[in-house]
Amino acid sequence: MLKYMRKYWIFAVLAAAFMIAEVTVDMIQPRLMADIVDNGILGLNGDGTPDLALIRSVGIKMILIVLAGGLFGMLSGTMANLCSQNFGNTIRKKCFDRIMHLSFEQTDAFTTGSLITRVTNDVSQVERLVQQLVRGFIRCLMFMVVGTITLMSLNVHFLVIIACAFPLVLLDIGFILWKTNPLFTLLQGRIDGLNSVIQENINGTRVVKAFIQEDREAARFDAANTSLVDTQLRVLILMSFLRPIMNIVLNLATVALIWVGAIQVQAGGMQPGEVMAAVTYISQILNGMMMLAMIFQTLARGRASAKRIRQVLDADPVIKDGTLDEESLRALYADSESDGSADSADGLATGTAAIAADYQPTGSVTFKKVSFTYPASGANPGAPIEVLSGVDLEVRPGETLAVIGPTGCGKTSLVNLIPRFYDATEGTVEVDGVDVRDFKLQTLRSKVAFVTQKNELFSTTIIDNIAIGRPGATEDEIHKAAQTAQAEDFILQQPDGYDTAVAEGGMSLSGGQRQRISIARALLKNAEILIFDDSTSALDLKTEAALYQALKKNYPGMTKIVIAQRIATARKADRIAVVDSGRIDAVGTHQELMETSAVYRDICASQERKSPQKGGAA
Amino acid sequence: MSYVKKRFAAAGGASGSAANTAAPQGFGRRRNMGAPTEKPKDGGKTLRRLLSYFASHRTAVILLFFVVTATVLLRIAAPAYLSRAIDAITMRTFDKLPQILLIMITLYVTSSACNLLEEYLGAKLSQKIVKGMRADLFRKTIDLPVGYLDTHSHGDLISRMTNDAENISNVVSSSLTSLFSGLLTLVGTVAIMLSYSWQLTLLSCSVIIFSVLFTRFLSRYIRKLYVKRQCLLGALNGIVNEKVTNYKTVTAYNQQDSVVDDFNGTSNELTRTGILSEILSSSMGPVMNMLNNVSFVVVAVSLLSSSTPSSSPARSTNWRSCTGRSRRRWRVPSASSRSWTPPPRTRAARCTWTPPRASSNSST
């Protein structure tokens, strides 16, 4: 993490330098003040009458020096801020960039609430740490070192007092830090917990209200809140011992100093004025120690946060980029078109040519002996269960394939493998005749338009939500996509039409409306392969039928993979794949499956029982 | 011209450079829904509400007040004995010393005990208040009509319950005790100053009033920056919340880079605001220090110009307390200090800074 500091170290050095200058002024200034008092006001060096001329000249000097000190102080603060906040900004950006490129299993493991805390709260803690280190550390070190040296130069006997006090203070700091250190990691974890409860409740407010779960949720929140406050209190109470104990030690050192000083004066080895000076220095050392205690407090918390940030920064995306990008594929394809052999592709590594030997950008998808197990994670503890096993399936270019099967049979997991949201545990998935792992992720994902099960809309306008599909699309293209998705009618009825703002998560729209906007977005992408993950479930049969008809007419070349719950949806497809407990049970048309697949017949029977009137009408 | 491009051009400004590139990104602009400036409509009401949290922990507040009073009194008393001890050494009355030192030890130990109690109570109080505040906020949030949540960034709401509540917690635990002790010290100092010279008090007070006015002027500006900063932090939270929640779509549409760009823009803005507000607020300390020291010289000069030379030494013995400096400073020895010979005893006693009570004793 320190490498991100490299760009800003100059600010840190300047901040420290200005801090040294400020402390120096702080140390000179009491001398001038003493000069004013002793020689000016009291006239101790002269005849005992005030010396106005001296007060004026020294006074002007003092004002100038104080102004310089103030300036140094401000400059030191400015530099420290430039250093710490720019450093914080760099980590924050790196952190978010990393989060955005993590694989799903990793984001799942971190949980959204924790990621939010890490990007904001933890980064602030680290910023504070850098700031304190750059300014405070130098300051208290100077006070302590200079104070100790001058103190000892006054009389070596004081060394004994310091030698006794120092270890006690260090012991105090050490003990408290040893006790609090583990608590800080726990504390940030508690913030995560609270964040998660709040986040779930706010994002899922409709569900909470619909099931009148407010009291239960308030109790859950209360538990998270209490455990956070308890942990914080434990830290604060431990910390509250730090200062008083230190105070006692250092104040007793003052008493001891006076005692030793008195003995020395009595013996004639010291002047009373030197005892007074010694008391000044020990209070300076005391100040330095206090600051040190504060810095250690920040250090402990900052370290816990830094560790959490490092966990994000060090997370290596599980899904690795391949090598084939659009350019190399295009060259390869053009070549193989012209002379019928991919091997002769000039200018391309032979490895690339070999990998992409069968490349045909037509939108075919092939599963070859694919097995898949969800990786164990925080969100998915316990023994891993195989979700897909030995799946063989071929989706032909341009065809519409429906995927049907009971809940939890692995339908979504199956399509998740196509754009590499996850990687198959065994076997290969091929798109356009090439293993998906050989594509660059961006290239692969540009070939696939995916409408997720949970319709994910962003808090911007409807048109911007659709435009995400293909940034740079024309208004006509957007309208065509919306019309095909059967979305234009209701969009135009919204208060601002296409410019109507969508609430976060699309909550201001109905389920069916959200689905249609998501579909419009996917259509706008105009990719080779279109995947609907149960994306028309909230539409009535009439709208759904119109949608598929328009789809066929307006986007004929696309390969369409449609996960469906309803037989009525599935039977419109060219072929239907029946998935049952992670295996492909059968593939065929509705008629074929009615004869060959018992699972399919079961699904049909259960749906007809549930809605006899619809079944009868069809 | 592409649709999005056109909209970018219309939006202008902020993402100007992005509009010139070939493919503007879908996430470029985040619609600012809800009120952009989060200024409390009624400052008095906000303060009353804040105070009501303290009121519900009345006993703890009162207890804390007593403990702080005790600590402040002890803190004032200890230096008095310290200067007595120094006086004893200067005047070579060493037999008095053990007794004075014993009293000092007692004072230090009790003041540390009070200090411990003070920090303990302060921590407890602050955490109780923050807990209550957060719980009320959460209850309010889940009881809000759905429409409110639809038009407000969820991440921002989360930020309020964690980041902003934590700020209040920090302020309560660190400032409540210092506010108490500061007020007590101020009242005490002003009373002591008045007992010496009302003219000097007036002069010192004018410095104080000037610094209060200056602080007010600066803090009004700083407050605005802080509000903006917390808002930006909320916006940042909002981006993380929304994009991580909808991560699948972000990934499916290759939007990671544009989302990161959006985040970086807000993050940079946050840093700019943060640096500005921190520079201003960290300048307050040095500026105050400067004012303080300048006032010292001004008071010293005016003291002499206003008083006749014959009466000045007696009065000026306590002039340091007239500058209202809370920090005690003894003479720092100059290079010649080693050869410094003790002046006549009475002078030496005056030379040390002594709190008023002690000074009347030592001058007898």
Side-chain angles (χ1 to χ4, degrees):
Chain A
M1 216 154 84
L2 273 179
K3 66 173 182 243
Y4 301 120
M5 190 72 180
R6 221 176 281 153
K7 237 166 100 189
Y8 308 110
W9 68 270
I10 186 75
F11 291 130
V13 171
L14 283 174
F18 283 125
M19 179 47 77
I20 291 175
E22 196 200 351
V23 175
T24 312
V25 168
D26 264 9
M27 286 177 165
I28 295 174
Q29 183 251 347
R31 266 185 219 191
L32 295 178
M33 204 187 281
D35 203 19
I36 293 182
V37 176
D38 290 347
N39 302 330
I41 299 175
L42 298 179
L44 290 181
N45 276 0
D47 51 4
T49 51
D51 183 350
L52 202 60
L54 186 121
I55 294 178
R56 288 233 170 92
S57 67
V58 178
I60 288 169
K61 219 192 270 173
M62 191 173 136
I63 288 180
L64 286 179
I65 263 192
V66 158
L67 286 178
L71 194 68
F72 289 143
M74 284 199 264
L75 281 173
S76 168
T78 306
M79 293 303 154
N81 268 304
L82 282 174
C83 170
S84 68
Q85 298 213 34
N86 276 320
F87 172 60
N89 194 21
T90 309
I91 318 180
R92 191 163 48 219
K93 290 194 285 192
K94 289 271 175 221
C95 221
F96 187 70
D97 185 69
R98 179 46 56 97
I99 291 171
M100 277 297 122
H101 291 94
L102 282 181
S103 311
F104 282 82
E105 51 211 83
Q106 290 166 307
T107 330
D108 291 349
F110 277 119
T111 75
T112 314
S114 175
L115 287 174
I116 294 177
T117 321
R118 285 168 208 243
V119 171
T120 56
N121 196 304
D122 282 313
V123 170
S124 304
Q125 302 291 353
V126 172
E127 262 175 25
R128 213 168 293 167
L129 170 68
V130 172
Q131 165 113 348
Q132 283 255 18
L133 278 184
V134 168
R135 297 189 73 197
F137 199 65
I138 298 286
R139 195 185 170 93
C140 77
L141 214 65
M142 268 192 81
F143 271 126
M144 274 166 57
V145 171
V146 174
T148 311
I149 289 173
T150 17
L151 189 63
M152 294 212 288
S153 73
L154 284 176
N155 194 307
V156 269
H157 287 94
F158 293 145
L159 182 68
V160 183
I161 299 166
I162 293 191
C164 289
F166 259 42
L168 284 175
V169 169
L170 289 181
L171 205 68
D172 180 34
I173 295 179
F175 179 75
I176 304 279
L177 284 188
W178 173 64
K179 280 292 209 187
T180 46
N181 225 351
L183 285 179
F184 283 115
T185 311
L186 191 68
L187 187 68
Q188 294 304 103
R190 298 274 196 247
I191 298 178
D192 281 355
L194 190 78
N195 255 348
S196 295
V197 177
I198 303 171
Q199 198 234 355
E200 279 168 38
N201 268 282
I202 292 183
N203 289 354
T205 181
R206 279 184 168 73
V207 182
V208 173
K209 282 184 199 305
F211 292 94
I212 323 171
Q213 292 292 303
E214 283 97 335
D215 287 332
R216 199 180 140 261
E217 288 304 314
R220 258 186 79 209
F221 176 85
D222 207 43
N225 194 7
T226 305
S227 73
L228 170 61
V229 164
D230 285 350
T231 312
Q232 182 122 43
L233 201 57
R234 264 168 70 196
V235 171
L236 285 175
I237 286 172
L238 272 172
M239 283 291 179
S240 68
F241 279 92
L242 196 61
R243 257 143 150 339
I245 292 179
M246 224 159 165
N247 256 329
I248 287 188
V249 172
L250 290 161
N251 282 326
L252 289 185
T254 312
V255 172
L257 194 129
I258 292 172
W259 183 244
V260 172
I263 294 171
Q264 293 288 317
V265 170
Q266 206 163 13
M270 249 183 121
Q271 301 293 346
E274 289 172 329
V275 179
M276 276 157 32
V279 172
T280 312
Y281 286 124
I282 204 146
S283 74
Q284 258 177 14
I285 297 174
L286 184 142
N287 262 329
M289 288 272 189
M290 285 299 177
M291 271 188 274
L292 198 66
M294 297 266 289
I295 290 167
F296 274 114
Q297 191 175 333
T298 323
L299 188 72
R301 195 163 185 190
R303 265 188 50 200
S305 288
K307 198 174 92 197
R308 285 159 51 87
I309 293 171
R310 233 182 0 251
Q311 282 172 350
V312 175
L313 289 175
D314 290 350
D316 203 18
V318 176
I319 308 273
K320 299 261 188 260
D321 233 356
T323 52
L324 295 178
D325 58 14
E326 264 154 84
E327 211 174 308
S328 62
L329 284 168
R330 213 177 294 130
L332 207 61
Y333 185 62
D335 237 33
S336 66
E337 285 264 278
S338 57
D339 51 41
S341 156
D343 296 325
S344 65
D346 299 324
L348 282 168
T350 42
T352 310
I355 290 168
D358 299 323
Y359 181 68
Q360 291 280 328
T362 48
S364 69
V365 180
T366 316
F367 290 84
K368 288 182 177 167
K369 296 197 170 39
V370 169
S371 297
F372 177 66
T373 308
Y374 275 102
S377 71
N380 175 30
I385 301 160
E386 199 169 58
V387 189
L388 295 173
S389 49
V391 169
D392 279 305
L393 181 68
E394 210 189 323
V395 190
R396 297 167 199 146
E399 85 166 329
T400 304
L401 176 84
V403 180
I404 201 163
T407 320
C409 67
K411 301 185 294 276
T412 299
S413 307
L414 188 74
V415 290
N416 271 346
L417 300 180
I418 301 171
R420 285 189 81 197
F421 289 159
Y422 296 91
D423 268 346
T425 325
E426 276 170 54
T428 51
V429 180
E430 288 176 3
V431 166
D432 291 342
V434 175
D435 190 332
V436 285
R437 282 168 292 199
D438 292 329
F439 286 109
K440 270 194 167 312
L441 281 172
Q442 199 147 7
T443 309
L444 172 69
R445 285 167 185 167
S446 69
K447 288 173 173 295
V448 182
F450 201 108
V451 184
T452 53
Q453 195 165 19
K454 199 183 120 244
N455 303 108
E456 295 173 340
L457 298 190
F458 297 90
S459 51
T460 172
T461 55
I462 290 178
I463 194 152
D464 282 352
N465 259 299
I466 299 175
I468 291 164
R470 185 152 48 92
T474 63
E475 214 157 326
D476 283 344
E477 287 170 319
I478 292 175
H479 287 299
K480 181 185 164 199
Q483 278 158 12
T484 311
Q486 309 298 308
E488 191 158 76
D489 287 349
F490 86 81
I491 291 174
L492 292 176
Q493 279 166 23
Q494 297 286 314
D496 295 320
Y498 275 97
D499 288 326
T500 308
V502 177
E504 195 162 326
M507 285 307 178
S508 53
L509 300 167
S510 78
Q513 290 170 337
R514 283 205 296 276
Q515 284 187 339
R516 280 174 278 171
I517 290 177
S518 303
I519 291 170
R521 178 197 291 160
L523 292 177
L524 183 68
K525 193 172 179 183
N526 213 350
E528 291 167 20
I529 301 158
L530 177 69
I531 299 171
F532 283 180
D533 186 359
D534 201 14
S535 306
T536 54
S537 56
L539 303 186
D540 59 73
L541 288 176
K542 209 179 114 208
T543 313
E544 191 184 40
L547 168 76
Y548 281 110
Q549 210 166 9
L551 203 56
K552 218 167 231 167
K553 194 177 125 225
N554 293 339
Y555 300 89
M558 274 184 196
T559 305
K560 303 167 192 84
I561 301 173
V562 177
I563 292 183
Q565 297 285 351
R566 300 188 291 213
I567 292 285
T569 311
R571 56 188 296 179
K572 290 188 206 82
D574 298 327
R575 287 192 305 154
I576 303 168
V578 183
V579 182
D580 188 34
S581 29
R583 291 171 185 283
I584 300 287
D585 179 74
V587 186
T589 60
H590 176 70
Q591 274 75 25
E592 286 165 10
L593 290 174
M594 283 304 274
E595 287 164 27
T596 55
S597 170
V599 182
Y600 190 75
R601 276 197 301 272
D602 273 358
I603 299 171
C604 280
S606 73
Q607 290 195 0
E608 269 160 28
R609 260 202 311 281
K610 258 185 220 155
S611 53
Q613 70 274 43
K614 266 186 194 162
Chain B
M1 193 181 205
S2 81
Y3 172 73
V4 179
K5 214 171 186 173
K6 204 162 68 200
R7 292 169 66 86
F8 258 94
S15 359
S17 59
N20 295 333
T21 57
Q25 307 297 332
F27 286 123
R29 293 168 308 116
R30 193 182 151 84
R31 194 163 256 233
N32 194 4
M33 285 185 284
T37 49
E38 305 287 337
K39 208 169 149 192
K41 282 171 201 87
D42 184 352
K45 201 175 151 199
T46 313
L47 191 66
R48 266 202 302 285
R49 186 178 290 160
L50 202 61
L51 283 178
S52 76
Y53 283 99
F54 286 97
S56 54
H57 301 289
R58 209 171 288 122
T59 38
V61 174
I62 291 168
L63 206 61
L64 186 63
F65 182 76
F66 278 119
V67 175
V68 171
T69 313
T71 321
V72 169
L73 289 179
L74 287 168
R75 248 181 234 157
I76 291 174
Y81 283 91
L82 182 61
S83 35
R84 271 200 216 182
I86 301 268
D87 284 353
I89 296 178
T90 321
M91 293 185 276
R92 300 186 164 268
T93 45
F94 295 108
D95 51 327
K96 278 191 194 165
L97 212 52
Q99 193 205 346
I100 297 172
L101 291 184
L102 268 180
I103 296 175
M104 273 171 75
I105 291 174
T106 324
L107 285 176
Y108 282 140
V109 170
T110 33
S111 106
S112 282
C114 282
N115 190 217
L116 180 65
L117 196 62
E118 175 189 317
E119 294 212 8
Y120 175 82
L121 285 172
K124 253 196 139 140
L125 186 66
S126 74
Q127 288 309 305
K128 270 186 187 160
I129 286 173
V130 170
K131 187 180 166 183
M133 224 176 251
R134 236 190 246 132
D136 288 350
L137 199 57
F138 181 78
R139 188 74 230 193
K140 177 86 186 175
T141 310
I142 53 174
D143 285 345
L144 277 174
V146 172
Y148 180 87
L149 292 178
D150 284 348
T151 51
H152 288 76
S153 158
H154 297 173
D156 183 52
L157 284 171
I158 299 171
S159 180
R160 279 164 203 247
M161 265 178 263
T162 52
N163 292 329
D164 292 303
E166 193 185 296
N167 275 349
I168 294 177
S169 144
N170 283 342
V171 168
V172 170
S173 65
S174 71
S175 306
L176 194 65
T177 48
S178 46
L179 190 73
F180 272 168
S181 61
L183 269 178
L184 278 173
T185 316
L186 189 71
V187 169
T189 317
V190 168
I192 291 165
M193 285 197 312
L194 274 175
S195 73
Y196 285 105
S197 155
W198 64 267
Q199 292 98 334
L200 279 182
T201 310
L202 213 62
L203 192 68
S204 297
C205 281
S206 68
V207 174
I208 294 174
I209 290 167
F210 180 70
S211 48
V212 166
L213 285 179
F214 176 75
T215 316
R216 265 186 71 113
F217 165 75
L218 204 60
S219 69
R220 198 174 303 155
Y221 187 60
I222 291 176
R223 197 162 51 225
K224 258 186 219 151
L225 281 174
Y226 269 119
V227 169
K228 189 177 172 200
R229 188 182 177 179
Q230 290 304 104
C231 284
L232 282 168
L233 198 60
L236 212 60
N237 250 344
I239 296 174
V240 181
N241 181 40
E242 184 172 23
K243 305 307 190 249
V244 174
T245 311
N246 294 344
Y247 190 44
K248 207 167 178 177
T249 301
V250 172
T251 315
Y253 290 90
N254 283 329
Q255 289 290 312
Q256 293 99 322
D257 290 337
S258 80
V259 164
V260 167
D261 281 349
D262 190 20
F263 179 88
N264 289 356
T266 311
S267 184
N268 289 339
E269 181 71 19
L270 174 70
T271 305
R272 264 196 298 278
T273 315
I275 289 176
L276 200 57
S277 63
E278 283 299 320
I279 285 176
L280 281 179
S281 64
S282 71
S283 297
M284 293 251 269
V287 169
M288 286 298 145
N289 203 15
M290 242 153 67
L291 273 177
N292 218 350
N293 283 310
V294 169
S295 80
F296 170 88
V297 178
V298 171
V299 168
V301 171
S302 63
L303 178 84
L304 287 186
S305 332
S306 67
S307 56
T308 56
S310 59
S311 68
S312 68
R315 269 182 151 194
S316 62
T317 309
N318 300 295
W319 66 275
R320 275 194 199 196
S321 63
C322 296
T323 59
R325 302 172 68 85
S326 52
R327 256 186 297 167
R328 292 166 289 111
R329 282 197 169 130
W330 281 277
R331 251 173 48 82
V332 173
S334 54
S336 61
S337 70
R338 280 170 179 283
S339 57
W340 185 66
T341 46
R345 280 175 186 182
T346 46
R347 286 265 167 81
R350 283 182 193 136
C351 176
T352 57
W353 178 84
T354 45
R357 264 182 314 146
S359 82
S360 56
N361 291 342
S362 61
S363 58
T364 50

